[in-house]
Amino acid sequence: MATHQYLGGQPDEALDRVDGRQKVTGAAKYSVDDILPGLTYAVLVESTIAKGHIKKIDTKKAQSAPGVLAIIYHGNAPAIPGYETGGNPAKPPTGGEPFRVFQNTQIYFAGQPIAIVIADTYERAIYAATLVETEYNKDDQRTDIEGNKDKAVVPKGPRYADYIRGEADAYKNSVIKIEAEYIIPVEVHNPMELHATTAFWDGEDKVTVFDKTQGVKSTQRSIMDAFKLKEQNVQVNTDFVGGGFGSGLRTWPHVIAAVLAAKKINKPVKLVLTRPQMFTMVGYRPYSWQKISLGATRDGVLTGLTHEAISETSTYEEFTDRTVDISKVMYACPNVNTRYKIVALDKSTPTWMRGPGEATGAYALECAIDELSYAVNLDPLELRIRNHADVDPVRNLPWSSKYLKECYQKGAEAIGWNKRNPKPNSMQEGEWQLGYGMGAGNFNANRGRATVKATLLADGSLVLQSAVSDSGPGTATTMTSIASNVFGLSPGKITFELGDSSLPPGPTQGGSTTTSTLGSAVHDVCVALQQKMAELVTIQGSLLQGAKPENLHFEKGYITLKTDASKKVAYADVVKQTGSSQLEVTKDSQAGDERNKYSIYSFAVHFVQVQVHRLTGVVRIKKVVTVADAGKIINEKTAASQLMGGVVSGIGMALMEDAVMDHRFGRYVNNNLADYHVPVSADVPDIKALFIDKPDPFINPIGSKGLGEIANVGFAAAVANAVYHATGKRIRTLPITPDKLLR
Amino acid sequence: MINFDYVRVSTIKAAVDAIVKDNNSLWLAGGTNLVDLMKKGVMTPQKLVDINNLPLKEIKKEGNKLIIGALALNSTVADNELVRKEQPLLALAVQAGASAQLRNMATVGGNMMQRTRCPYFYNTDMPCNKREPGTGCGALKGFNRMHAIFTDTEKCIAVHPSDMSVGLVALDATVLLSGPRGDRRIPFQNFHRLPGNLPQKDNTLERGELIVAVEIPENKLNKHVHYLKVRDRTSYAFALVSAAVAVDLEGSTIKDIRLALGGVAHKPWRLTEVENFLKGKAATEVNYKQAAALAIRGAKGFGLNNFKLKLAPNTLVEALKTATGKS
C-alpha cells in the first residue's frame, strides 16, 4: 500500500505532488524494484517464429546451468484451473480468447512467451534462458495489414455495425469533396518502467502479487479467476507505477506466468519484461488505415462525412477501439456514416494506448477538416466554428457542458493565430519554413463506480483509502485537494492510501475517469463523514448541541456555527467525544441517470507552430498551446502536467513513433529505446497548457470531466496541418520524418 | 549474458599480450556498445581485458600536432579547450553523438571501434553477413532506411554509426597503434573499411593492435566549420545523414576545405574529390550545389534509404552554407 501525505504548507492554489518527495529521492518503490527479501528471478523465453507449432523444447542444458531452480513450459506446466474450465483470466476486449501461457504448442506471434526460467539471480536466469533449445514447425505468417485488407471483417457486436445518420456517402453529391487516406503505424506505449510482477504464495490457496498495473482490483480478479482463489486470498499491490499509457489496463499472460512460477517453486519470484518484450507482450496501438471523405458547400458547411477504418488484431482475440466514433459526434453534419473493420494477423493483441481510438480517429478527421479548409478557402478555425455541434448529433441530446468555442478563442490568442498567413509555404525564416496548425478533439467523460473509506483520527487528521493505482497523473494529490476543500481540513492533515487490493474497491485508471469517479467518491465520503460528525456534535452534550446540521460550517479542522463563529468544535474533539479512537465512514459512489439526459464529453484544441527545414526535412515544434474544457480543474499543477504529458506523447505520434516490423520474419526491428524514438527533452518546446476551468453541472458532484486522453486527441493532426501550412506538403502517413518531406 | 572472465591491465604491453594470448578476448574501454552487444549475444568474448587504467587519456599539443589519447572520454574531447580552439569541427562532431550520459562513458578509441546499429546485426535470429558471414544481408531487401548509399558489395549495406569519426576523417587525422609487432600509424581514412568480401571486418586493425591515440595536424580550418547531423529526433538518435565541413576562406574564396559525410557508408565518407572541386572557387550556393551533386556520384539507394540520395547533397549544401555564413 502506498501512503501519500501532503508535506508542504498550506498552498495558495495548487498542491505540490504528495508523492513528489518519495519519487525524487528514490524512496518510492515500483513494481520493477526488488520489493521482497529472498527473491528469485524469472525470465521469459520467447518464440522466434510468428506462426506454427513448437515441435520440441529441450531444457536439459538450461536446467543444468548454475542457479536454475525451475523451467516451466507447455510440457510440464502445472495446471491453471481457471484456464482449464474455460475461465477468462484476462478479460478480452471484445471477442476471442486471451492467450493462455504455456498451455499448448501453438505459436500465435513472434515474441510469444513459450517458457519461463527461474534462477537465484537475474543474470543466471537470463543466461539459462538462452540455453533453452526450441524446434518449430513453422507456418507462413501474415503480419502486414497492407495487402491483407481484403481479409478485414466487421467485429462482432452491434457497437461495430456500420453507422449511418441521414444518407450514406452523401459527400459524393456535394459541391466540394475531399477524399483522403491516412495511416498510423504501430505505436508502443513504452513507459519508462518495464512491466514487472513479483509473486509469492502462502500455502496452496493464498498469493500476494506486486504488479505494474493500472487496476489493482482488475488484476486481483484475473488472478482469482485463473487460479480459482477467494478474493481475500489474492493480495495485489501497486504502490507506484512508472507510466502506463494503457499498457497496464489488462492482466497480461506474463503476470499469470509469474504467479505460476512462484507456485511451482514456492518462493517469491520476480519477473521483469525486457524492453523488446514490451513490444510484444503488453499491447500496442494497432496499425490503422483510415479514409475520410468530406462533402461541403462552398461556404464550408459540412453536408457529408464518411469515415472508414481498417485496423489490426491478433488471430486469437478481437481488439477494437473507437477509431471512427469521433467522426459521429465532432461536427454538426446531417449525413454521416462510418465503417470499421479489423484484420486478424499473426501478432499479439493490441490494446488501448493513450487517447486510444479517438486519438487515432481524430488524426484522420482533423487532417481532413484542414484539407477542406483549403478547398473552400476558409480559415480552419472558422471552418470548425461553422460546423460546431451545438448538441450531440448522435443522440440529439444537449451537452452537459461544452466550451469548445472558448477553447478555440483562447488557444488562437495564445499562439498568435492572427499572425498566420493563410497561404501554405508562405512564411519563411531563412531555410526554415514556418507553419501554424490546429487540431481539436473530444472524449467521452465517464464516471464509474468507486468506494472510499474515510477515517477521522483522534488527532483530527483524516485517512482516505481506495484500491486505485496511480500511473502518474497524481491521483493521491488530486484526491487530497478534493478532500481538503470538501471536508474543510488542511491538506497536511490528509493522507491518501492506494495501490492495495484489500482497500475498498477503486476503479481501474484508464479512459480519463479517475478524477471523476474516485474524486466523486472522495467528495461523497467527506460529506457523509461531515453528516456523521454533525449528528455527534449536535446530539451529545457539546457546544453545538441543538444546532441544525445545515447551520454548521466545516473549515480548517473546526465545526462552527454559521451564525456564530465563536462556537467551534475541533474535529479531533468530535472523535474524542465518541470515546473511540476514530470515526469511520465508507461510501460507495457512482453515476446517476444524468447520462440519459445529457451527452457528457471533454473537449480540447491544440495549436502548434512548427518550423520545417527546406533542405533536410527536419521538423521542429516551436510552440504548443493546448486548451482543455475538462470541467472544474482540481489541481492546476497536476492538470497542466497531464496536458503536457499528452502533448509530448502527441509529438511522438506525429513525428517519430513507428514500431517497424520486418514482415518476412514477423518481427520488430527497432524494439529498443535507441531505435524506437520517443521525444527527448530537446524535442519538446514551450507548452502552454490552458484550461477553461468551468465546472460541469451534471457529470458528478465535483464538476470535473476527464483530461488524460484529450491531452493527446487531435494533437498529431495539429502538427500534420502545421507541416502542410509550412511546406504545402500533406503527409498522410505518420510519423512525419525527414524522408517523407524530401520525397 | 554469457559468463566471461575479466582482467584489468595497466600497461600497453600487458594489454596487447593479454589479447594476443587469448583469441576469444576483447578490450573493454567505456563499454557503451560492447556490453550491449554481449547482452544481446551478438558478441561473446570469453574474456574482457579492461584497459581503462592505461595512461591514454591525455589531450596535448606536440609540435604542430594535436594528440588525443585513445581513452580520453568523448565528453572530455568535446569540452577540451585545445580541441575547441584548434579543431572545433571535432568538438562539434563528438557533441552530436549519442547522449550526454553515453559521452561521459565512451572513449575515443571505443567510439572508433563501435559496431553498426543495423537491426539485423543486433538480432541473432535474423540473417546478417557481418555477424555471421554467409547468412545473407537482412537489410538489403528489409528495413534499410538507415543504410548505406555507398557500398562496394550487396553483402552488407550497414553504416558506421560514429559522428566523431566523420570529424576525424575530415581533419586528416592519423591513428596511432601499438601491437605485437610494434607501433604503427595509419591514416584515419584507412582505418575503417568498406565491407567487400569481409563484411565482418569493420576496420583494418590487425589482431592485437591497440589504438593508442589519434593525431590531428594543425590547419587553418578552424574558423568556418559546421557539423550538421540530420536525425529523427533532436538528440540521442543516429544520423540519417551527417556532414562535416571545415573551410579556410580568403575573402569569399575557398582556399582550403575538408568535407566528409556520415550515415552513408560502411566507413566515414571523406569527399576528397569534392574538396578539390571547391578549392579556389567562390563560396556560393551555386558552387555548393554543384559540389553536392558531385558528392553523391556513384551513390545508390536500396529502397527505404532512397531519400538519402537527396538528403545527403542537401545536408552538405546546408552545412557548407552554415559554415561559411552563406545561409
Side-chain angles (χ1 to χ4, degrees), chain A residues 58-63 65 126-133:
Chain A
D58 187 346
T59 60
K60 261 187 243 101
K61 263 192 228 162
Q63 191 71 58
I126 208 155
Y127 172 57
T130 66
L131 302 178
V132 174
E133 288 170 353

Side-chain angles (χ1 to χ4, degrees), chain A residues 5-11 16 490-492:
Chain A
Q5 188 177 6
Y6 180 69
L7 297 172
Q10 181 67 33
D16 292 335
S490 148

